[in-house]
Protein backbone atom coordinates (compact mmCIF):
# COMPACT_ATOMS: atom_id res chain seq x y z
CA UNK A 1 0.00 0.00 0.00
CA UNK A 2 1.09 3.51 -0.75
CA UNK A 3 1.21 6.44 1.62
CA UNK A 4 0.16 9.16 -0.74
CA UNK A 5 -3.24 9.80 -2.25
CA UNK A 6 -3.47 10.33 -5.99
CA UNK A 7 -6.04 12.35 -7.93
CA UNK A 8 -6.90 12.82 -11.58
CA UNK A 9 -9.71 13.71 -13.93
CA UNK A 10 -10.87 10.32 -15.19
CA UNK A 11 -13.06 11.49 -18.04
CA UNK A 12 -11.69 13.13 -21.16
CA UNK A 13 -11.48 16.88 -20.88
CA UNK A 14 -13.96 18.86 -22.87
CA UNK A 15 -17.54 19.93 -22.66
CA UNK A 16 -19.18 16.66 -21.68
CA UNK A 17 -22.32 16.15 -19.65
CA UNK A 18 -20.35 15.00 -16.61
CA UNK A 19 -16.73 14.77 -15.58
CA UNK A 20 -15.32 12.47 -12.95
CA UNK A 21 -12.51 13.34 -10.58
CA UNK A 22 -11.10 10.27 -8.96
CA UNK A 23 -9.01 9.99 -5.80
CA UNK A 24 -7.30 6.89 -4.49
CA UNK A 25 -5.36 6.44 -1.26
CA UNK A 26 -5.49 6.67 2.50
CA UNK A 27 -6.60 10.29 2.56
CA UNK A 28 -9.11 10.08 -0.26
CA UNK A 29 -12.21 10.12 1.94
CA UNK A 30 -10.80 12.72 4.31
CA UNK A 31 -9.96 15.06 1.42
CA UNK A 32 -13.37 14.49 -0.13
CA UNK A 33 -15.02 15.27 3.18
CA UNK A 34 -13.29 18.65 3.42
CA UNK A 35 -14.63 19.63 -0.01
CA UNK A 36 -18.08 18.13 0.16
CA UNK A 37 -21.16 19.63 1.77
CA UNK A 38 -23.98 17.15 2.13
CA UNK A 39 -23.07 14.23 4.33
CA UNK A 40 -20.21 13.27 6.59
CA UNK A 41 -18.36 10.95 4.22
CA UNK A 42 -16.34 9.35 7.00
CA UNK A 43 -19.60 7.91 8.33
CA UNK A 44 -21.24 6.64 5.15
CA UNK A 45 -21.25 3.00 4.04
CA UNK A 46 -18.88 1.76 1.40
CA UNK A 47 -20.00 1.75 -2.24
CA UNK A 48 -22.64 4.42 -1.78
CA UNK A 49 -23.30 7.55 -3.77
CA UNK A 50 -24.22 10.92 -2.25
CA UNK A 51 -25.75 14.13 -3.46
CA UNK A 52 -24.22 17.41 -2.32
CA UNK A 53 -22.05 20.39 -3.23
CA UNK A 54 -18.36 21.03 -3.63
CA UNK A 55 -17.21 24.09 -1.75
CA UNK A 56 -14.03 26.07 -2.24
CA UNK A 57 -12.09 25.29 0.96
CA UNK A 58 -10.72 28.84 1.08
CA UNK A 59 -13.78 31.04 0.72
CA UNK A 60 -16.49 28.43 1.42
CA UNK A 61 -18.29 29.28 -1.83
CA UNK A 62 -20.27 26.58 -3.64
CA UNK A 63 -18.47 25.59 -6.83
CA UNK A 64 -20.63 22.80 -8.20
CA UNK A 65 -23.48 20.45 -7.48
CA UNK A 66 -22.16 16.88 -7.53
CA UNK A 67 -22.71 13.20 -6.90
CA UNK A 68 -19.93 11.67 -4.88
CA UNK A 69 -19.19 7.95 -4.65
CA UNK A 70 -17.38 6.47 -1.68
CA UNK A 71 -15.65 3.10 -2.05
CA UNK A 72 -13.64 1.79 0.83
CA UNK A 73 -10.63 -0.48 0.72
CA UNK A 74 -10.17 -3.27 -0.20
CA UNK A 75 -12.96 -3.93 -2.70
CA UNK A 76 -12.02 -1.15 -5.11
CA UNK A 77 -10.18 -0.73 -8.40
CA UNK A 78 -6.87 0.00 -6.68
CA UNK A 79 -7.73 -1.87 -3.43
CA UNK A 80 -7.33 1.52 -1.70
CA UNK A 81 -10.03 3.94 -0.51
CA UNK A 82 -11.47 5.65 -3.57
CA UNK A 83 -13.82 8.56 -4.06
CA UNK A 84 -15.24 9.68 -7.35
CA UNK A 85 -16.75 13.10 -7.79
CA UNK A 86 -19.26 13.39 -10.65
CA UNK A 87 -19.43 17.07 -11.45
CA UNK A 88 -20.95 19.14 -14.22
CA UNK A 89 -18.34 18.66 -16.78
CA UNK A 90 -17.07 22.11 -17.69
CA UNK A 91 -13.31 22.26 -18.08
CA UNK A 92 -13.03 25.16 -15.67
CA UNK A 93 -15.05 23.62 -12.85
CA UNK A 94 -13.48 20.21 -13.24
CA UNK A 95 -9.98 21.62 -13.06
CA UNK A 96 -10.96 23.74 -10.08
CA UNK A 97 -12.14 20.69 -8.11
CA UNK A 98 -9.00 18.75 -9.04
CA UNK A 99 -6.96 21.72 -7.84
CA UNK A 100 -8.77 21.72 -4.47
CA UNK A 101 -7.94 18.06 -3.94
CA UNK A 102 -4.29 18.84 -4.64
CA UNK A 103 -4.31 21.75 -2.22
CA UNK A 104 -5.71 19.45 0.43
CA UNK A 105 -2.86 16.97 0.06
CA UNK A 106 -3.53 14.73 -2.94
CA UNK A 107 -0.88 14.33 -5.63
CA UNK A 108 -1.65 14.53 -9.34
CA UNK A 109 -1.67 10.97 -10.69
CA UNK A 110 0.56 9.95 -13.56
CA UNK A 111 -1.01 8.36 -16.63
CA UNK A 112 -2.07 4.81 -15.75
CA UNK A 113 -1.22 5.21 -12.09
CA UNK A 114 -4.58 3.93 -10.80
CA UNK A 115 -4.11 0.74 -12.79
CA UNK A 116 -0.48 0.55 -11.75
CA UNK A 117 -1.60 0.63 -8.12
CA UNK A 118 -4.14 -2.10 -8.81
CA UNK A 119 -1.22 -4.17 -10.08
CA UNK A 120 1.27 -3.27 -7.36
CA UNK A 121 -1.38 -3.88 -4.72
CA UNK A 122 -1.81 -7.32 -6.34
CA UNK A 123 -5.45 -6.97 -7.27
CA UNK A 124 -4.65 -7.76 -10.90
CA UNK A 125 -1.59 -9.19 -12.64
CA UNK A 126 0.34 -7.41 -15.33
CA UNK A 127 -1.42 -9.09 -18.24
CA UNK A 128 -4.72 -7.91 -16.80
CA UNK A 129 -3.40 -4.38 -16.26
CA UNK A 130 -2.28 -4.22 -19.86
CA UNK A 131 -5.69 -5.35 -21.03
CA UNK A 132 -7.19 -2.25 -19.41
CA UNK A 133 -5.31 -0.24 -21.99
CA UNK A 134 -6.46 -2.56 -24.77
CA UNK A 135 -10.00 -2.04 -23.58
CA UNK A 136 -9.61 1.72 -23.89
CA UNK A 137 -8.13 1.40 -27.36
CA UNK A 138 -10.51 -1.25 -28.66
CA UNK A 139 -12.03 -0.33 -32.01
CA UNK A 140 -14.22 -3.35 -32.75
CA UNK A 141 -16.48 -5.66 -30.78
CA UNK A 142 -13.99 -8.45 -31.27
CA UNK A 143 -11.05 -6.51 -29.86
CA UNK A 144 -13.22 -5.32 -27.00
CA UNK A 145 -14.27 -8.88 -26.23
CA UNK A 146 -10.63 -9.91 -26.32
CA UNK A 147 -9.62 -7.20 -23.85
CA UNK A 148 -12.51 -7.92 -21.51
CA UNK A 149 -11.60 -11.59 -21.41
CA UNK A 150 -7.99 -10.73 -20.73
CA UNK A 151 -8.99 -8.36 -17.95
CA UNK A 152 -11.12 -11.12 -16.56
CA UNK A 153 -7.92 -13.12 -16.18
CA UNK A 154 -8.51 -15.69 -18.90
CA UNK A 155 -5.25 -14.99 -20.65
CA UNK A 156 -3.52 -15.00 -17.30
CA UNK A 157 -5.01 -18.41 -16.59
CA UNK A 158 -3.63 -19.83 -19.80
CA UNK A 159 -0.19 -18.71 -18.72
CA UNK A 160 -0.66 -19.76 -15.11
CA UNK A 161 -1.54 -23.28 -16.23
CA UNK A 162 1.55 -23.51 -18.40
CA UNK A 163 3.56 -22.25 -15.50
CA UNK A 164 2.15 -24.86 -13.17
CA UNK A 165 3.12 -27.61 -15.56
CA UNK A 166 6.61 -26.23 -15.96
CA UNK A 167 6.92 -25.99 -12.21
CA UNK A 168 5.97 -29.63 -11.81
CA UNK A 169 8.73 -30.54 -14.27
CA UNK A 170 11.18 -28.55 -12.18
CA UNK A 171 9.94 -30.37 -9.10
CA UNK A 172 10.55 -33.70 -10.82
CA UNK A 173 14.09 -32.71 -11.62
CA UNK A 174 14.75 -31.50 -8.10
CA UNK A 175 13.59 -34.80 -6.67
CA UNK A 176 16.10 -36.51 -8.86
CA UNK A 177 18.94 -34.24 -7.90
CA UNK A 178 18.08 -34.57 -4.22
CA UNK A 179 17.94 -38.39 -4.25
CA UNK A 180 20.85 -39.42 -6.45
CA UNK A 181 21.22 -42.74 -4.62
CA UNK A 182 19.02 -44.39 -7.24
CA UNK A 183 21.56 -45.60 -9.76
CA UNK A 184 19.40 -45.39 -12.80
CA UNK A 185 17.88 -42.05 -11.82
CA UNK A 186 19.36 -40.09 -14.70
CA UNK A 187 18.07 -42.41 -17.37
CA UNK A 188 14.64 -42.67 -15.87
CA UNK A 189 14.31 -38.96 -15.49
CA UNK A 190 15.34 -38.24 -19.04
CA UNK A 191 12.62 -40.59 -20.10
CA UNK A 192 10.07 -39.07 -17.79
CA UNK A 193 11.00 -35.53 -18.69
CA UNK A 194 10.80 -35.85 -22.43
CA UNK A 195 7.04 -36.41 -22.80
CA UNK A 196 6.28 -33.85 -20.09
CA UNK A 197 8.24 -31.14 -21.83
CA UNK A 198 6.80 -32.14 -25.18
CA UNK A 199 3.32 -31.81 -23.78
CA UNK A 200 3.95 -28.26 -22.56
CA UNK A 201 5.59 -27.38 -25.87
CA UNK A 202 2.54 -28.61 -27.72
CA UNK A 203 0.31 -26.38 -25.64
CA UNK A 204 2.61 -23.42 -26.20
CA UNK A 205 2.57 -24.03 -29.93
CA UNK A 206 -1.17 -24.05 -29.93
CA UNK A 207 -1.45 -20.83 -27.94
CA UNK A 208 1.07 -19.12 -30.22
CA UNK A 209 -0.75 -20.35 -33.30
CA UNK A 210 -4.09 -18.84 -32.27
CA UNK A 211 -2.26 -15.79 -30.95
CA UNK A 212 -1.72 -14.75 -34.56
CA UNK A 213 -5.44 -14.18 -34.83
CA UNK A 214 -5.44 -12.50 -31.44
CA UNK A 215 -2.82 -10.02 -32.55
CA UNK A 216 -4.83 -9.23 -35.67
CA UNK A 217 -7.97 -8.70 -33.61
CA UNK A 218 -6.17 -6.45 -31.22
CA UNK A 219 -4.03 -4.38 -33.53
CA UNK A 220 -5.83 -4.67 -36.83
CA UNK A 221 -4.20 -5.25 -40.17
CA UNK A 222 -2.11 -2.46 -41.53
CA UNK A 223 -3.32 -2.22 -45.09
CA UNK A 224 -1.72 0.08 -47.65
CA UNK A 225 -3.33 1.06 -50.93
CA UNK A 226 -0.70 1.65 -53.61
CA UNK A 227 -0.67 2.28 -57.32
CA UNK A 228 0.21 4.82 -59.97
CA UNK A 229 -1.43 8.25 -59.83
CA UNK A 230 -5.05 8.44 -60.92
CA UNK A 231 -5.81 4.70 -60.90
CA UNK A 232 -8.52 5.14 -58.24
CA UNK A 233 -6.76 4.53 -54.88
CA UNK A 234 -8.54 7.29 -53.01
CA UNK A 235 -11.82 6.22 -54.56
CA UNK A 236 -11.19 2.72 -53.20
CA UNK A 237 -10.47 4.05 -49.72
CA UNK A 238 -13.69 6.04 -49.78
CA UNK A 239 -15.73 3.08 -51.00
CA UNK A 240 -14.32 0.74 -48.38
CA UNK A 241 -14.92 3.28 -45.64
CA UNK A 242 -18.36 4.18 -46.98
CA UNK A 243 -17.37 7.80 -46.53
CA UNK A 244 -15.78 10.55 -48.62
CA UNK A 245 -12.60 10.63 -46.60
CA UNK A 246 -10.04 11.29 -49.32
CA UNK A 247 -10.20 13.86 -52.08
CA UNK A 248 -10.80 12.36 -55.52
CA UNK A 249 -10.13 14.30 -58.72
CA UNK A 250 -9.23 13.48 -62.28
CA UNK A 251 -5.86 15.17 -61.78
CA UNK A 252 -2.99 12.72 -61.36
CA UNK A 253 -1.08 13.39 -58.15
CA UNK A 254 -4.09 14.49 -56.09
CA UNK A 255 -3.13 12.62 -52.95
CA UNK A 256 0.11 14.03 -51.62
CA UNK A 257 0.14 12.71 -48.09
CA UNK A 258 -1.00 9.57 -46.34
CA UNK A 259 -4.69 9.36 -45.55
CA UNK A 260 -5.75 6.91 -42.93
CA UNK A 261 -9.00 5.33 -41.82
CA UNK A 262 -10.30 2.31 -39.95
CA UNK A 263 -12.80 -0.18 -41.26
CA UNK A 264 -14.29 -3.27 -39.74
CA UNK A 265 -14.49 -6.48 -41.75
CA UNK A 266 -16.22 -9.31 -39.89
CA UNK A 267 -14.97 -8.00 -36.56
CA UNK A 268 -11.44 -7.30 -37.72
CA UNK A 269 -10.02 -3.81 -38.00
CA UNK A 270 -8.23 -2.82 -41.14
CA UNK A 271 -6.05 0.18 -40.69
CA UNK A 272 -6.41 1.46 -44.22
CA UNK A 273 -3.86 3.85 -45.65
CA UNK A 274 -4.22 5.68 -48.95
CA UNK A 275 -0.95 6.83 -50.43
CA UNK A 276 0.41 9.20 -53.02
CA UNK A 277 0.51 7.58 -56.45
CA UNK A 278 3.92 6.22 -57.33
CA UNK A 279 5.71 7.53 -60.38
CA UNK A 280 9.06 9.01 -61.23
CA UNK A 281 8.53 12.69 -60.54
CA UNK A 282 10.37 15.99 -60.30
CA UNK A 283 7.75 17.67 -58.16
CA UNK A 284 9.33 17.89 -54.72
CA UNK A 285 6.15 17.71 -52.68
CA UNK A 286 4.98 14.72 -54.66
CA UNK A 287 8.32 12.94 -54.42
CA UNK A 288 8.26 13.23 -50.62
CA UNK A 289 4.86 11.58 -50.75
CA UNK A 290 6.24 8.83 -52.96
CA UNK A 291 9.08 8.13 -50.54
CA UNK A 292 6.59 7.86 -47.70
CA UNK A 293 4.62 5.40 -49.76
CA UNK A 294 7.68 3.21 -50.16
CA UNK A 295 8.18 3.25 -46.42
CA UNK A 296 4.54 2.31 -45.88
CA UNK A 297 4.88 -0.62 -48.25
CA UNK A 298 7.70 -1.97 -46.10
CA UNK A 299 5.68 -1.75 -42.93
CA UNK A 300 2.39 -3.00 -44.37
CA UNK A 301 0.81 -6.34 -43.51
CA UNK A 302 -1.43 -6.20 -46.54
CA UNK A 303 -1.01 -4.36 -49.84
CA UNK A 304 -3.87 -3.44 -52.10
CA UNK A 305 -2.18 -2.77 -55.42
CA UNK A 306 -4.47 -0.87 -57.78
CA UNK A 307 -4.03 -0.99 -61.57
CA UNK A 308 -5.97 0.87 -64.23
CA UNK A 309 -7.91 -1.34 -66.65
CA UNK A 310 -8.24 1.46 -69.20
CA UNK A 311 -4.49 1.83 -69.70
CA UNK A 312 -1.76 -0.63 -70.56
CA UNK A 313 0.64 -1.70 -67.84
CA UNK A 314 3.44 0.85 -67.52
CA UNK A 315 6.98 0.62 -66.20
CA UNK A 316 5.76 2.15 -62.95
CA UNK A 317 3.12 -0.59 -62.61
CA UNK A 318 5.73 -3.25 -63.16
CA UNK A 319 8.01 -1.66 -60.57
CA UNK A 320 5.17 -1.72 -58.06
CA UNK A 321 4.32 -5.32 -58.87
CA UNK A 322 7.93 -6.18 -58.25
CA UNK A 323 8.27 -4.03 -55.12
CA UNK A 324 5.33 -5.78 -53.44
CA UNK A 325 5.79 -9.31 -54.72
CA UNK A 326 6.96 -10.78 -51.40
CA UNK A 327 4.16 -9.14 -49.44
CA UNK A 328 0.66 -10.33 -48.70
CA UNK A 329 -1.12 -8.48 -51.45
CA UNK A 330 -4.23 -8.30 -53.53
CA UNK A 331 -4.04 -6.99 -57.08
CA UNK A 332 -7.01 -4.87 -58.02
CA UNK A 333 -7.80 -4.07 -61.64
CA UNK A 334 -9.95 -0.96 -61.37
CA UNK A 335 -12.08 0.95 -63.88
CA UNK A 336 -13.50 -2.17 -65.54
CA UNK A 337 -16.42 -0.02 -66.64
CA UNK A 338 -14.03 1.44 -69.21
CA UNK A 339 -12.77 -0.42 -72.30
CA UNK A 340 -9.77 -2.54 -71.41
CA UNK A 341 -6.35 -1.68 -72.71
CA UNK A 342 -4.50 -3.85 -70.27
CA UNK A 343 -2.80 -7.11 -71.04
CA UNK A 344 -3.60 -9.22 -68.00
CA UNK A 345 -1.99 -12.44 -69.16
CA UNK A 346 1.01 -12.23 -66.89
CA UNK A 347 -0.91 -11.08 -63.87
CA UNK A 348 -1.41 -13.55 -61.08
CA UNK A 349 -4.80 -13.72 -59.33
CA UNK A 350 -6.55 -10.34 -59.37
CA UNK A 351 -9.91 -8.78 -58.56
CA UNK A 352 -11.80 -6.56 -60.95
CA UNK A 353 -13.50 -3.47 -59.60
CA UNK A 354 -15.25 -0.36 -60.68
CA UNK A 355 -15.45 2.45 -58.19
CA UNK A 356 -17.79 4.23 -60.55
CA UNK A 357 -20.35 1.41 -60.52
CA UNK A 358 -19.65 0.09 -57.04
CA UNK A 359 -18.46 -3.24 -58.35
CA UNK A 360 -16.10 -5.70 -56.69
CA UNK A 361 -15.87 -4.14 -53.22
CA UNK A 362 -17.60 -7.02 -51.46
CA UNK A 363 -15.55 -9.54 -53.36
CA UNK A 364 -12.44 -7.70 -52.23
CA UNK A 365 -13.54 -7.82 -48.60
CA UNK A 366 -14.17 -11.55 -48.88
CA UNK A 367 -10.74 -12.00 -50.37
CA UNK A 368 -9.15 -10.16 -47.47
CA UNK A 369 -10.92 -12.40 -44.95
CA UNK A 370 -9.79 -15.47 -46.84
CA UNK A 371 -6.22 -14.25 -46.98
CA UNK A 372 -6.05 -13.94 -43.20
CA UNK A 373 -8.15 -17.06 -42.62
CA UNK A 374 -10.43 -15.04 -40.41
CA UNK A 375 -13.84 -16.43 -41.10
CA UNK A 376 -16.40 -14.71 -38.91
CA UNK A 377 -14.94 -14.36 -35.47
CA UNK A 378 -17.34 -11.76 -34.26
CA UNK A 379 -19.38 -14.04 -32.04
CA UNK A 380 -16.75 -16.45 -30.86
CA UNK A 381 -15.58 -16.47 -27.32
CA UNK A 382 -12.14 -15.11 -27.85
CA UNK A 383 -9.52 -15.97 -25.40
CA UNK A 384 -6.27 -15.42 -27.18
CA UNK A 385 -2.91 -14.09 -26.32
CA UNK A 386 -2.79 -10.90 -28.37
CA UNK A 387 -0.30 -8.58 -26.81
CA UNK A 388 3.06 -8.41 -28.58
CA UNK A 389 4.96 -8.36 -25.32
CA UNK A 390 3.22 -11.49 -24.10
CA UNK A 391 3.75 -13.29 -27.38
CA UNK A 392 7.46 -12.45 -27.34
CA UNK A 393 7.87 -13.78 -23.80
CA UNK A 394 5.97 -16.95 -24.56
CA UNK A 395 8.21 -17.53 -27.58
CA UNK A 396 11.24 -17.17 -25.33
CA UNK A 397 9.79 -19.67 -22.90
CA UNK A 398 9.16 -22.06 -25.77
CA UNK A 399 12.72 -21.61 -26.96
CA UNK A 400 14.07 -22.50 -23.52
CA UNK A 401 11.99 -25.68 -23.43
CA UNK A 402 13.19 -26.63 -26.91
CA UNK A 403 16.74 -26.25 -25.68
CA UNK A 404 15.87 -28.52 -22.78
CA UNK A 405 14.56 -31.14 -25.20
CA UNK A 406 17.78 -31.01 -27.22
CA UNK A 407 19.78 -31.49 -24.04
CA UNK A 408 17.65 -34.50 -23.14
CA UNK A 409 18.40 -36.01 -26.52
CA UNK A 410 22.10 -35.50 -25.92
CA UNK A 411 21.75 -37.03 -22.44
CA UNK A 412 23.17 -33.93 -20.82
CA UNK A 413 23.05 -34.07 -17.00
CA UNK A 414 19.68 -33.27 -15.53
CA UNK A 415 20.81 -30.27 -13.50
CA UNK A 416 21.91 -28.58 -16.71
CA UNK A 417 18.51 -29.22 -18.24
CA UNK A 418 16.90 -27.73 -15.19
CA UNK A 419 18.49 -24.36 -16.00
CA UNK A 420 16.55 -24.20 -19.28
CA UNK A 421 13.28 -25.27 -17.71
CA UNK A 422 13.66 -22.69 -14.95
CA UNK A 423 14.29 -20.05 -17.57
CA UNK A 424 11.00 -20.96 -19.25
CA UNK A 425 9.28 -20.60 -15.89
CA UNK A 426 10.75 -17.13 -15.41
CA UNK A 427 9.70 -15.94 -18.89
CA UNK A 428 6.15 -17.07 -18.23
CA UNK A 429 6.22 -15.21 -14.93
CA UNK A 430 7.21 -12.04 -16.74
CA UNK A 431 3.96 -12.13 -18.68
CA UNK A 432 2.07 -12.00 -15.41
CA UNK A 433 4.41 -9.38 -14.01
CA UNK A 434 6.03 -11.57 -11.41
CA UNK A 435 9.56 -10.80 -12.43
CA UNK A 436 9.40 -7.38 -14.00
CA UNK A 437 11.68 -4.40 -13.67
CA UNK A 438 10.60 -0.91 -12.64
CA UNK A 439 11.62 0.39 -16.05
CA UNK A 440 9.21 -1.90 -17.83
CA UNK A 441 6.42 -0.92 -15.48
CA UNK A 442 7.05 2.78 -16.00
CA UNK A 443 7.04 2.29 -19.73
CA UNK A 444 3.90 0.19 -19.83
CA UNK A 445 1.85 2.42 -17.60
CA UNK A 446 2.99 5.67 -19.19
CA UNK A 447 1.03 4.65 -22.29
CA UNK A 448 -2.23 4.84 -20.38
CA UNK A 449 -4.40 7.89 -20.36
CA UNK A 450 -4.66 10.06 -17.31
CA UNK A 451 -7.10 8.98 -14.67
CA UNK A 452 -6.95 5.27 -15.50
N1 LIG B 1 -14.52 5.32 -64.95
C1 LIG B 1 -14.01 5.16 -63.74
N2 LIG B 1 -13.37 6.18 -63.15
C2 LIG B 1 -12.83 5.98 -61.93
C3 LIG B 1 -12.93 4.74 -61.25
N3 LIG B 1 -12.30 4.86 -60.06
C4 LIG B 1 -11.82 6.13 -59.98
N4 LIG B 1 -12.15 6.82 -61.11
C5 LIG B 1 -11.82 8.21 -61.43
O1 LIG B 1 -10.41 8.31 -61.58
C6 LIG B 1 -9.93 9.58 -61.13
C7 LIG B 1 -8.83 9.38 -60.11
O2 LIG B 1 -9.37 8.78 -58.95
P1 LIG B 1 -8.64 8.85 -57.54
O3 LIG B 1 -9.37 7.98 -56.62
O4 LIG B 1 -8.42 10.26 -57.14
O5 LIG B 1 -7.23 8.22 -57.95
P2 LIG B 1 -5.91 8.09 -57.06
O6 LIG B 1 -5.31 6.80 -57.43
O7 LIG B 1 -6.20 8.35 -55.64
O8 LIG B 1 -5.03 9.25 -57.66
P3 LIG B 1 -3.81 10.05 -56.99
O9 LIG B 1 -4.24 10.50 -55.64
O10 LIG B 1 -3.61 11.18 -57.91
O11 LIG B 1 -2.63 9.14 -56.95
C8 LIG B 1 -11.15 10.29 -60.58
O12 LIG B 1 -11.63 11.17 -61.58
C9 LIG B 1 -12.14 9.18 -60.31
O13 LIG B 1 -13.48 9.62 -60.39
C10 LIG B 1 -13.62 3.67 -61.91
O14 LIG B 1 -13.74 2.55 -61.43
N5 LIG B 1 -14.13 3.93 -63.15
MG1 LIG C 1 -5.52 9.73 -54.36
Amino acid sequence: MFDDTIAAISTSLGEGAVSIIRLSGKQAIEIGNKLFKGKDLTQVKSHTIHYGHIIDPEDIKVVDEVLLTVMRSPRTYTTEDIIEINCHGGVFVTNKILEFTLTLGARLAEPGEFTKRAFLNKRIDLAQAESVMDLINAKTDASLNLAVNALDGRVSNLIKNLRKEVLSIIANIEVNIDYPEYDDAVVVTHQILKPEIEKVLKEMNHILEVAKTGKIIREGIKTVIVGRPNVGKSSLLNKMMREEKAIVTEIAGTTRDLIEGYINIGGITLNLIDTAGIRETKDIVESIGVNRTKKEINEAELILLVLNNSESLTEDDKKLLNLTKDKKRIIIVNKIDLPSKMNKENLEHYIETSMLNDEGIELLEKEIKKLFELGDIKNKDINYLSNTRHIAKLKKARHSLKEALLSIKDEIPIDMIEIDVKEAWIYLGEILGEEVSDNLLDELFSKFCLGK
Side-chain angles (χ1 to χ4, degrees):
M1 285 280 177
F2 298 84
D3 283 329
D4 54 350
T5 296
I6 51 174
I9 299 167
S10 283
T11 38
S12 60
L13 266 184
E15 307 293 332
V18 281
S19 292
I20 298 175
I21 295 125
R22 183 192 258 173
L23 274 79
S24 174
K26 286 183 184 143
Q27 291 174 284
I29 296 174
E30 185 191 319
I31 292 172
N33 213 26
K34 285 186 184 152
L35 287 173
F36 183 75
K37 219 175 117 202
K39 261 190 202 140
D40 181 357
L41 300 178
T42 60
Q43 302 303 317
V44 302
K45 276 200 214 152
S46 184
H47 294 75
T48 51
I49 187 158
H50 307 278
Y51 169 81
H53 295 88
I54 295 292
I55 43 170
D56 185 332
E58 278 191 358
D59 58 13
I60 326 289
K61 259 201 248 152
V62 170
V63 177
D64 199 359
E65 179 190 40
V66 300
L67 287 173
L68 192 151
T69 311
V70 174
M71 290 166 278
R72 289 183 204 282
S73 174
R75 278 183 43 237
T76 70
Y77 187 65
T78 55
T79 77
E80 303 169 340
D81 283 347
I82 287 187
I83 65 160
E84 286 179 359
I85 306 170
N86 288 249
C87 65
H88 275 132
V91 176
F92 180 75
V93 171
T94 312
N95 274 325
K96 201 92 205 145
I97 298 174
L98 176 65
E99 210 180 288
F100 295 159
T101 68
L102 302 182
T103 319
L104 291 171
R107 171 172 67 71
L108 189 65
E110 289 159 22
E113 200 173 357
F114 289 93
T115 310
K116 189 175 181 180
R117 284 197 170 187
F119 165 67
L120 291 173
N121 290 333
K122 301 208 179 331
R123 193 179 76 79
I124 53 178
D125 63 45
L126 196 59
Q128 286 173 301
E130 287 169 281
S131 67
V132 172
M133 190 162 55
D134 291 342
L135 202 85
I136 297 168
N137 294 333
K139 290 190 190 67
T140 62
D141 284 347
S143 59
L144 181 65
N145 192 346
L146 191 70
V148 170
N149 286 344
L151 182 59
D152 199 29
R154 294 194 208 182
V155 170
S156 309
N157 285 340
L158 281 180
I159 302 300
K160 277 184 196 153
N161 283 339
L162 285 178
R163 217 164 174 240
K164 239 188 253 163
E165 290 175 54
V166 172
L167 191 64
S168 102
I169 296 174
I170 296 173
N172 257 335
I173 299 175
E174 297 267 327
V175 167
N176 232 275
I177 295 172
D178 290 347
Y179 301 97
E181 60 270 25
Y182 302 111
D183 277 349
D184 55 353
V186 175
V187 180
V188 170
T189 310
H190 273 109
Q191 282 171 357
I192 293 174
L193 277 186
K194 191 164 171 279
E196 283 185 2
I197 292 178
E198 278 170 346
K199 179 169 168 276
V200 180
L201 270 174
K202 205 171 143 202
E203 287 167 18
M204 286 180 168
N205 283 337
H206 177 70
I207 294 174
L208 284 168
E209 191 49 45
V210 291
K212 284 182 194 156
T213 313
K215 189 164 179 292
I216 290 174
I217 296 173
R218 178 176 178 271
E219 295 173 6
I221 301 166
K222 183 165 177 174
T223 306
V224 178
I225 306 174
V226 295
R228 272 191 299 120
N230 221 28
V231 293
K233 299 180 296 300
S234 299
S235 307
L236 176 66
L237 176 92
N238 290 346
K239 285 281 182 243
M240 289 182 81
M241 294 194 59
R242 277 97 182 148
E243 155 185 353
E244 300 301 310
K245 178 113 185 173
I247 299 171
V248 169
T249 74
E250 64 286 348
I251 303 163
T254 300
T255 309
R256 297 284 178 112
D257 211 343
L258 305 175
I259 297 171
E260 218 172 326
Y262 291 89
I263 59 164
N264 180 342
I265 298 184
I268 295 300
T269 307
L270 287 203
N271 174 8
L272 208 56
I273 299 166
D274 177 27
T275 61
I278 288 210
R279 64 176 166 188
E280 295 299 329
T281 174
K282 292 201 174 67
D283 179 322
I284 290 188
V285 180
E286 199 181 330
S287 72
I288 292 173
V290 170
N291 283 335
R292 280 197 195 150
T293 302
K294 287 182 181 158
K295 186 167 161 276
E296 291 300 317
I297 290 177
N298 275 334
E299 292 168 7
E301 284 158 303
L302 172 64
I303 305 277
L304 303 180
L305 174 53
V306 186
L307 303 171
N308 184 347
N309 178 56
S310 69
E311 293 168 359
S312 49
L313 280 181
T314 67
E315 277 311 305
D316 284 329
D317 286 327
K318 286 174 192 156
K319 260 190 211 157
L320 276 170
L321 281 163
N322 197 33
L323 202 62
T324 58
K325 71 173 186 303
D326 295 327
K327 288 257 161 189
K328 247 190 187 139
R329 74 169 175 197
I330 296 176
I331 296 172
I332 295 164
V333 175
N334 188 36
K335 304 200 188 185
I336 50 155
D337 52 285
L338 299 175
S340 177
K341 293 201 182 129
M342 187 190 287
N343 176 4
K344 300 179 190 108
E345 261 167 32
N346 292 326
L347 279 187
E348 58 187 91
H349 181 62
Y350 58 89
I351 289 182
E352 294 186 328
T353 61
S354 165
M355 298 306 137
L356 197 69
N357 298 341
D358 256 334
E359 262 175 70
I361 304 287
E362 275 172 29
L363 193 67
L364 173 62
E365 292 180 349
K366 261 194 205 140
E367 190 76 14
I368 293 173
K369 274 201 220 172
K370 207 164 81 192
L371 205 58
F372 287 87
E373 292 164 0
L374 295 174
D376 215 349
I377 52 167
K378 218 177 345 195
N379 302 318
K380 277 192 204 153
D381 187 21
I382 24 189
N383 189 11
Y384 305 146
L385 209 60
S386 64
N387 179 304
T388 314
R389 189 185 73 84
H390 303 168
I391 293 172
K393 290 288 176 202
L394 183 54
K395 281 187 178 161
K396 283 194 164 167
R398 179 174 68 175
H399 180 78
S400 299
L401 286 190
K402 279 184 181 164
E403 290 286 307
L405 263 194
L406 286 180
S407 306
I408 287 174
K409 214 171 107 210
D410 294 342
E411 306 224 342
I412 285 171
I414 296 285
D415 47 343
M416 300 298 285
I417 297 172
E418 188 186 17
I419 295 174
D420 285 326
V421 182
K422 272 193 173 153
E423 216 172 64
W425 189 72
I426 289 172
Y427 284 133
L428 292 173
E430 285 176 351
I431 297 178
L432 303 172
E434 296 191 7
E435 313 269 347
V436 290
S437 69
D438 288 350
N439 284 348
L440 175 72
L441 286 187
D442 287 346
E443 200 202 308
L444 283 177
F445 286 104
S446 68
K447 291 186 194 132
F448 276 62
C449 44
L450 224 67
K452 249 300 168 193

